[in-house]
Amino acid sequence: VQREEDAEEPGAARPDAVAAVSAAGAVSYATLIDQVARAAGSLAARGVRSGDVVAYHGPADLDWLVGFHALGWLGAVIAPVREPADASDVDHVVASHSIAAGEHVPPEAWSLAAPRLLLATSGSTGTPQRVTLTTGQLYASASASALRLGHHLDDRWLCCLPLVHIGGASIVYRC
């Protein structure tokens, strides 16, 4: 999570370290940041702006991860959905495989109070409700996890939970 007061580009401390591992292989933070900045340029060219609510869907792969971070790079509120039909009351619907590489764009400064993620509850007691999580809430959760569990530079998180729920999405933010 990039906070307003952070002057350093995300991943700059360890650009060659492994950021993610998928069936396609490993990707470094430097490569991930480059792909995210280019995907953000493509999304910006399609009209995605800071504060827009974007229903985002696709298979859980590296393209999904890049697009997810690219939406955040632009300051969009991400509403991960299983299928495009699950999207309602959003400004854009984006499929992870539809994002091409565009021109690099700089990242938005994120206010800790800004809405960042819009998730549907499980609906176990009735109709699923949409819950908005702020940058500050996601940052606090990731930080608390690192403080409680510890963090080593070679640690890896296994994301085997659906990315449309907080369990899966929070792993993406922790990493």
Side-chain angles (χ1 to χ4, degrees):
V1 171
Q2 179 185 4
R3 297 176 299 159
E4 291 177 81
E5 60 271 14
D6 290 342
E8 192 173 293
E9 184 172 311
R14 299 178 54 232
D16 297 325
V18 174
V21 178
S22 72
V27 62
S28 70
Y29 282 101
T31 299
L32 181 62
I33 290 167
D34 178 65
Q35 290 176 353
V36 167
R38 289 182 183 284
S42 174
L43 290 164
R46 290 166 57 177
V48 177
R49 302 287 179 256
S50 181
D52 286 356
V53 177
V54 180
Y56 184 58
H57 65 95
D61 58 14
L62 188 57
D63 288 339
W64 189 94
L65 180 68
V66 168
F68 184 86
H69 284 306
L71 289 165
W73 191 270
L74 294 174
V77 180
I78 306 163
V81 294
R82 289 187 189 275
E83 300 292 332
D86 297 337
S88 63
D89 299 324
V90 297
D91 300 304
H92 307 274
V93 177
V94 175
S96 60
H97 66 273
S98 73
I99 304 171
E103 296 293 322
H104 271 259
V105 295
E108 277 288 315
W110 298 356
S111 160
L112 292 176
R116 184 68 38 217
L117 194 58
L118 183 62
L119 297 173
T121 64
S122 65
S124 59
T125 60
T127 305
Q129 303 294 313
R130 294 171 95 179
V131 176
T132 302
L133 298 171
T134 66
T135 303
Q137 290 168 318
L138 295 166
Y139 181 76
S141 174
S143 297
S145 174
L147 287 172
R148 180 70 178 136
L149 299 175
H151 175 72
H152 299 280
L153 295 179
D154 60 346
D155 281 348
R156 299 279 189 275
W157 281 95
L158 173 62
C159 187
C160 55
L161 299 169
L163 296 168
V164 299
H165 296 290
I166 190 60
S170 65
I171 290 172
V172 173
Y173 284 109
R174 287 181 200 147
C175 297

